[in-house]
Amino acid sequence: MDSSLFFPSLISGAAAGTSTDIAFFPIDTIKTRLQAKGGFFYNGGYHGIYRGLGSAVVASAPSASLFFITYDSMKYYLRPLLGIYIMDEQIADTMSHMVSSSIGEVSACMVRVPAEVIKQRTQTHRTNSSWQTLRLLLRNKNGEGLRRNLYRGWTTTIMREIPFTCIQFPLYEYLKKKWASYGDGNRVPPWKGAICGSIAGGIAAALTTPLDVLKTRLMLNEQSIPVMQLLKHIYREEGVKVFFSGVGPRTLWISAGGAIFLGVYEAVHSLF
């Protein structure tokens, strides 16, 4: 990858990920507790709202950097290739953003999933700190091994992230392009990028909430369980409405977080 792409994406992604997770961590905790079995107050209510912050902060910079390094480089190399086979410019742009962001999410999840497992178990008061949760997982009391414990919910996370990113990033890029077309340049200023990111993130978050509920339940489960089996079990015991648990906080968090995440990314990227 060209250094002119690598370093801006690395630094911009790290700044974006860290600032967003620190700013909106309490909303994420509320969302997790709403989605966990037993409900909000059973899993801690408003007490210890910053539990699990350590694992989120440690993973924020590398996971966001991995995403943007992959996303920006894939866009750069993929868009000209798609242009050869797809004559419609908007379709080629959309396909480029969907594929690039999907591959970026898979890369980021290598770091994000273990951090999410640790964070969500700490948020629901399994332990008092991220470090204690990690130590418990390393002890392997359930005998499933380090990989299955740390990467629990990997498949469901990917199932959630790819639809989410396939909605968010093409919409984000489209809104930026349309807004820029009303001005004099090809790029929008960072504050406009932040608004586009907020709108795109909020829409994507609301639509993918059922997948997020499944991901949360899988990560909090003590034993590995097939996704379809868990889906049927939740539906039988709690009904359809539970799959939209936390939709408000999730949409609020990602909408506001999208403004900071993509706004900071645009601002830092514009410095290069």
Side-chain angles (χ1 to χ4, degrees):
M1 182 180 177
D2 194 303
S3 61
S4 63
L5 289 173
F6 180 83
F7 289 108
S9 299
L10 174 71
I11 297 167
S12 303
T18 304
S19 59
T20 305
D21 278 349
I22 290 173
F24 292 100
F25 191 82
I27 300 175
D28 180 51
T29 301
I30 291 169
K31 183 269 299 181
T32 298
R33 291 176 180 176
L34 282 167
Q35 291 179 347
K37 189 172 184 179
F40 180 65
F41 291 104
Y42 178 82
N43 288 285
Y46 293 103
H47 179 68
I49 210 79
Y50 279 95
R51 281 190 173 182
L53 178 62
S55 60
V57 170
V58 167
S60 291
S63 65
S65 292
L66 264 174
F67 173 82
F68 279 112
I69 288 168
T70 307
Y71 177 66
D72 288 336
S73 59
M74 285 299 296
K75 273 198 309 180
Y76 179 80
Y77 294 115
L78 187 61
R79 179 60 181 85
L81 291 174
L82 288 174
I84 297 171
Y85 301 102
I86 302 173
M87 302 309 296
D88 188 294
E89 186 178 328
Q90 185 56 56
I91 294 175
D93 283 345
T94 301
M95 289 298 297
S96 170
H97 298 146
M98 289 176 71
V99 174
S100 300
S101 59
S102 296
I103 296 172
E105 286 293 353
V106 173
S107 301
C109 281
M110 296 295 294
V111 175
R112 188 184 301 149
V113 170
E116 279 276 301
V117 171
I118 294 167
K119 179 191 75 175
Q120 292 193 328
R121 286 171 179 249
T122 310
Q123 285 174 327
T124 53
H125 287 230
R126 303 292 180 91
T127 63
N128 292 319
S129 70
S130 298
W131 175 242
Q132 287 181 356
T133 304
L134 176 60
R135 288 175 63 187
L136 278 174
L137 289 168
L138 292 175
R139 286 176 194 164
N140 189 32
K141 286 186 175 181
N142 59 9
E144 293 190 354
L146 185 61
R147 182 183 62 81
R148 295 189 73 178
N149 279 322
L150 281 178
Y151 282 90
R152 178 159 298 158
W154 163 268
T155 303
T156 316
T157 304
I158 297 297
M159 284 169 56
R160 179 199 68 177
E161 294 296 353
I162 289 180
F164 176 85
T165 201
C166 282
I167 297 168
Q168 183 189 30
F169 274 86
L171 182 56
Y172 161 65
E173 298 282 7
Y174 174 76
L175 291 172
K176 283 200 305 174
K177 185 177 178 180
K178 291 297 288 185
W179 206 341
S181 70
Y182 292 106
D184 298 325
N186 295 321
R187 292 179 62 90
V188 295
W191 69 270
K192 289 185 178 180
I195 293 173
C196 294
S198 177
I199 295 169
I203 291 170
L207 293 175
T208 56
T209 296
L211 294 171
D212 189 55
V213 172
L214 272 175
K215 187 269 307 178
T216 297
R217 292 295 184 92
L218 274 170
M219 285 185 168
L220 294 176
N221 212 50
E222 291 297 335
Q223 301 290 331
S224 296
I225 182 171
V227 175
M228 290 308 297
Q229 185 179 330
L230 178 64
L231 176 65
K232 292 174 183 175
H233 180 73
I234 295 172
Y235 175 72
R236 280 198 307 268
E237 284 200 347
E238 302 173 66
V240 174
K241 287 178 67 176
V242 75
F243 290 104
F244 284 92
S245 299
V247 64
R250 173 171 162 79
T251 302
L252 173 64
W253 166 50
I254 295 181
S255 182
I260 292 182
F261 184 70
L262 292 167
V264 169
Y265 170 77
E266 294 280 354
V268 176
H269 208 275
S270 67
L271 299 175
F272 289 88

